[in-house]
């Protein structure tokens, strides 16, 4: 999974193109802090949630080490655990963590419904 990623943060089109893979369910930024402006004022994605089957993997980009898998969750509580692991790993100061969890849960549910319609 990590080996296929470029040695830099992803652009939005690159993250979206990963959603076309048959082996990956969905790819999206882990938190609002996961998207940072670069020199061109375009957002780059530094933290990803990647769904595959019943599990969710959380990946982070580090300038020195490249992409790293922070966690791969179990089906019990995959989204919340992956988000919390990214927040903890990065030390993000997210004022309303509950809103982030709710947003990602709703996004994941909507994306899951779309995939079942195909």
């Amino acid at each position: 999974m990590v080996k296929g990623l470029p040695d830099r943060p992803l652009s939005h089109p690159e993250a979206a193109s990963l959603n076309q893979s048959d082996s990956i369910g969905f790819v999206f930024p882990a938190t609002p802090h996961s998207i940072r402006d670069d020199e061109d004022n375009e957002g780059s994605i530094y933290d990803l949630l990647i769904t595959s089957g019943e599990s969710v993997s959380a990946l982070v980009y580090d300038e020195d080490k490249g992409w790293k898998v922070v966690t791969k969750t179990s089906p019990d509580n995959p989204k919340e655990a992956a988000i919390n692991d990214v927040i903890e790993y990065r030390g993000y100061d997210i004022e309303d963590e509950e809103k982030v969890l709710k947003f990602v849960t709703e996004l994941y549910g909507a994306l899951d419904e779309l995939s079942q319609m195909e």
Side-chain angles (χ1 to χ4, degrees):
M1 178 180 328
V2 174
K3 293 179 183 179
L5 297 175
D7 190 21
R8 59 178 167 66
L10 294 180
S11 67
H12 288 281
E14 288 171 325
S17 72
L18 291 174
N19 287 315
Q20 305 304 315
S21 170
D22 290 335
S23 62
I24 296 175
F26 300 107
V27 177
F28 47 92
T31 75
H33 294 298
S34 300
I35 304 168
R36 303 180 201 162
D37 288 337
D38 55 19
E39 301 99 39
D40 301 330
N41 280 336
E42 304 236 351
S44 294
I45 302 171
Y46 284 76
D47 311 314
L48 295 171
L49 295 183
I50 299 177
T51 67
S52 179
E54 294 287 320
S55 68
V56 176
S57 297
L59 284 70
V60 297
Y61 180 77
D62 182 277
E63 297 288 336
D64 297 325
K65 300 175 184 173
W67 287 99
K68 171 184 176 179
V69 176
V70 173
T71 191
K72 185 170 182 177
T73 64
S74 68
D76 299 338
N77 204 5
K79 301 167 292 299
E80 291 82 1
I83 294 166
N84 286 330
D85 288 346
V86 169
I87 291 170
E88 183 179 323
Y89 179 86
R90 290 286 195 198
Y92 286 147
D93 183 20
I94 296 181
E95 288 182 22
D96 196 345
E97 192 173 321
E98 287 299 316
K99 283 185 182 177
V100 172
L101 292 172
K102 182 179 178 195
F103 169 77
V104 172
T105 299
E106 289 173 0
L107 175 63
Y108 183 80
L111 293 173
D112 197 33
E113 286 177 25
L114 284 175
S115 73
Q116 291 175 4
M117 295 173 86
E118 294 179 347

